[in-house]
Amino acid sequence: MGPNKGFVLVWLAAILGWLAGAPAAWAEPPSPALKAVFVRQGDLWTREGNRETRLTTGEFARNPRWSEDGRWIAYTRGEQERELWLRKIGEPQGRRISADAGNRFEWAPTGDRLAFQSGDRLYWIDAGRPDKPTAAASGIGRFSWRPDGRGFVASSQASLLPDGSWTPVRILSLPLAGPDGGPAPAHTIYTLPARSDDFFAVGTSLFKWSADGRWMAFLATPTASLSADDNTLCVLSADGSTFQRVDRMANNESWFEWADRGDELAYIAGIGREATANKTLRVAKIPLGKPASYTPAGYVDQGFAWEGPARIVASRAKEQARWNADPGARPFPFLVGIGLDDRRQKRLTPKPRTAGDYGPVYLPAQRTLAWVRSDRKTASVFVADPEGRGAKEWIRSLDLGQNFYEQWNWGAVLQFYKGEAAG
């Protein structure tokens, strides 16, 4: 062996040895473990990776929601789902926050502040000091945090007047508190239109913000007897200068969502409470152009999730023109991936025979698609890659979500944590 060749071999060995001992930063960092809170037999559980932890016993827990930092869970307790409770991860007991908040509570988009309603009054607390609630406003219909967590947007409650008309619904901006620490003065940023042949609202849903914070989307809702079937999806600019009516749809707050980038709003259009007929997935670019429809004839979409800015996963079933009172005669849904730009659609889960695939959720940090598989009597959580490949059961024996004419609300028993796992 010549001297030059020997030098090269020694040099290669040195390089390979250095690489073998190189720091872990050279490798792609592992994704955070999947993390969810769920309800099984009425009790609250968490699952992180392959480890399950039971949090409550005999409480009839519902509506679990993670704080933004993943250290706290707020949930309702009791069969009437009225009491609001707070639980810190790692602590043995929870704490009651309100006796009558119902399902109207929401974590701030930053930190660990929790806001909730008691009747028409809005309060917020610091989770670390739950015994010191701050009153934010009264006369509130619905509310949501502003994107920066420094205040709220809310709707006022309409009142029926002696002549049969209603007071107008105002959209309000609310700071966290006034200068003296009490309720802050509300600022009206927009007043919804008066009743007409094609618009009627006495309240709103919660408010959902576009990724850039320029727009909020919400449902303008009529009286209760009408709102189950026909509501107006609206968008309003953050300063209240631009208001647009987008479409008509059922009263389902999970059926409209912004993309995580840009200004596109996806929603399931179509009046009528039955999710088995007249339900079409549409996407509108805001300010409003003509919405694009993605549901083929003969089918309905019953839930969806954004999977990046140009792709949506929908839970789709065959359409039934007439409502069937027999649950066993209603078609089960399956998952389909929809390319918004090329309009290509691909089935992601098998043809449903004995169970359906509901409530898709995309978890970008783990590049994982998750959903609920249920035969309407039992339910499990499945996970797979974004194309539905390698599907496996991840949570077994999940309680059933709320069902209203095949509008399944799985958020009543399950929520994934989408941030980094808390230390």
Side-chain angles (χ1 to χ4, degrees), residues 45-89:
W45 295 68
T46 60
R47 184 176 178 100
E48 186 168 2
N50 293 320
R51 187 183 73 228
E52 290 188 350
T53 303
R54 184 173 185 167
L55 301 183
T56 67
T57 301
E59 291 192 3
F60 197 84
R62 285 292 185 272
N63 307 301
R65 296 175 193 170
W66 291 103
S67 64
E68 183 67 20
D69 57 17
R71 298 191 304 136
W72 302 84
I73 298 170
Y75 63 100
T76 61
R77 176 174 164 177
E79 294 190 13
Q80 299 301 316
E81 300 182 25
R82 299 294 304 170
E83 294 185 1
L84 174 61
W85 282 68
L86 184 63
R87 182 69 174 262
K88 187 175 184 180
I89 297 298

Side-chain angles (χ1 to χ4, degrees), residues 239-384:
D239 62 1
S241 63
T242 303
F243 171 79
Q244 295 176 340
R245 286 180 276 175
V246 179
D247 218 324
R248 295 164 68 186
M249 59 180 288
N251 193 357
N252 190 324
E253 294 177 348
S254 68
W255 278 6
F256 63 98
E257 295 288 348
W258 294 95
D260 59 3
R261 298 194 295 276
D263 51 9
E264 290 189 304
L265 178 67
Y267 62 96
I268 295 177
I271 61 175
R273 67 191 66 186
E274 301 89 354
T276 52
N278 189 36
K279 298 296 176 284
T280 302
L281 177 67
R282 293 177 180 166
V283 178
K285 187 173 179 62
I286 306 300
L288 189 60
K290 183 179 179 180
S293 296
Y294 292 92
T295 307
Y299 290 87
V300 289
D301 285 328
Q302 300 175 337
F304 69 90
W306 285 92
E307 199 177 75
R311 179 178 163 91
I312 287 176
V313 174
S315 176
R316 177 172 294 170
K318 289 186 177 181
E319 185 173 26
Q320 282 186 322
R322 293 186 178 182
W323 175 252
N324 196 316
D326 177 11
R330 302 171 202 154
F332 285 120
F334 55 92
L335 299 187
V336 58
I338 303 167
L340 302 186
D341 296 334
D342 59 17
R343 303 188 68 89
R344 292 183 180 178
Q345 304 197 14
K346 175 186 176 183
R347 183 191 291 267
L348 303 183
T349 56
K351 182 178 180 180
R353 298 183 185 277
T354 59
D357 295 325
Y358 300 84
V361 176
Y362 180 60
L363 305 164
Q366 297 86 2
R367 287 191 52 79
T368 295
L369 177 65
W371 67 92
V372 174
R373 180 164 291 174
S374 175
D375 61 3
R376 304 190 181 99
K377 297 178 181 177
T378 60
S380 298
V381 176
F382 276 69
V383 295

Side-chain angles (χ1 to χ4, degrees), residues 161-201:
L161 299 174
D163 64 359
S165 64
W166 291 82
T167 58
V169 177
R170 295 176 296 131
I171 309 301
L172 310 169
S173 177
L174 301 165
L176 282 180
D180 59 353
H187 169 63
T188 300
I189 59 176
Y190 189 77
T191 301
L192 293 185
R195 184 173 186 174
S196 64
D197 290 341
D198 60 354
F199 186 85
F200 177 36

